[in-house]
Every structure is written in C-alpha cells, then in structure tokens.
Amino acid sequence: MNAIQITGNTPQADGTWKVGYSATYDDNLHIEGFEYVSQDDMNNMMMRDLPDYVSNKIVSELSKGSPSIDSVGTTDDSVTIKAE
C-alpha cells in the first residue's frame, strides 16, 4: 500500500465508529471504503494511529483470499458479487 488517507469518522448508534478511507497501491489500484471500529479500540489509540489500524484490517481481510462467487447481479452502473 502506497498511501492511505482517513476520509472521516462517524459515531454509530451501536457504539462503534465508521471510519472511511481511501488507499492507493504501486500498480495504480485505488480502493475506498470504511471499517467499523469499536469504541474500546478508538479509546486505546490516537487519531494518528487510525491509518495503520485500517490498513492492517484491509491487509488481513484481503489475505484471506477471494470468496467463491455464488451469483452476480448487475445494474446500469454497478455490479454486485454475492459470496457463498
């Protein structure tokens, strides 16, 4: 991962925080999304720790491999892949 930028964080009704991110990689891959972070985790880190926290979560999830594809649905402007 070349860079990750935290694009926002919003408290949720269930006590978690929705942390948005934008990340880029060497091969020009660009991903955006969000990670839900528990209140305890937020309490135990500083805001400058969020990029490392989120990037570690992304790497952890992506290293699990690709899900087997159950079905693909399309609309004019999006594709949804449903995993088993």
Side-chain angles (χ1 to χ4, degrees):
M1 185 178 301
N2 279 355
I4 184 166
Q5 179 180 16
I6 301 302
T7 58
N9 56 65
T10 310
Q12 302 297 293
D14 65 359
T16 61
W17 286 77
K18 185 177 180 179
V19 178
Y21 64 85
S22 176
T24 56
Y25 291 81
D26 286 334
D27 63 355
N28 295 322
L29 174 67
H30 174 90
I31 60 173
E32 294 181 9
F34 57 87
E35 172 70 31
Y36 288 106
V37 180
S38 72
Q39 183 65 56
D40 287 343
D41 285 346
M42 289 294 278
N43 290 343
N44 291 323
M45 67 177 131
M46 302 181 92
M47 292 305 287
R48 70 173 178 247
D49 299 326
L50 271 176
D52 283 340
Y53 179 92
V54 172
S55 62
N56 287 334
K57 288 285 196 169
I58 293 168
V59 170
S60 174
E61 286 301 313
L62 292 178
S63 67
K64 292 178 182 177
S66 300
S68 56
I69 297 173
D70 194 26
S71 64
V72 177
T74 62
T75 65
D76 288 340
D77 58 353
S78 69
V79 174
T80 302
I81 298 173
K82 296 180 181 178
E84 294 179 329

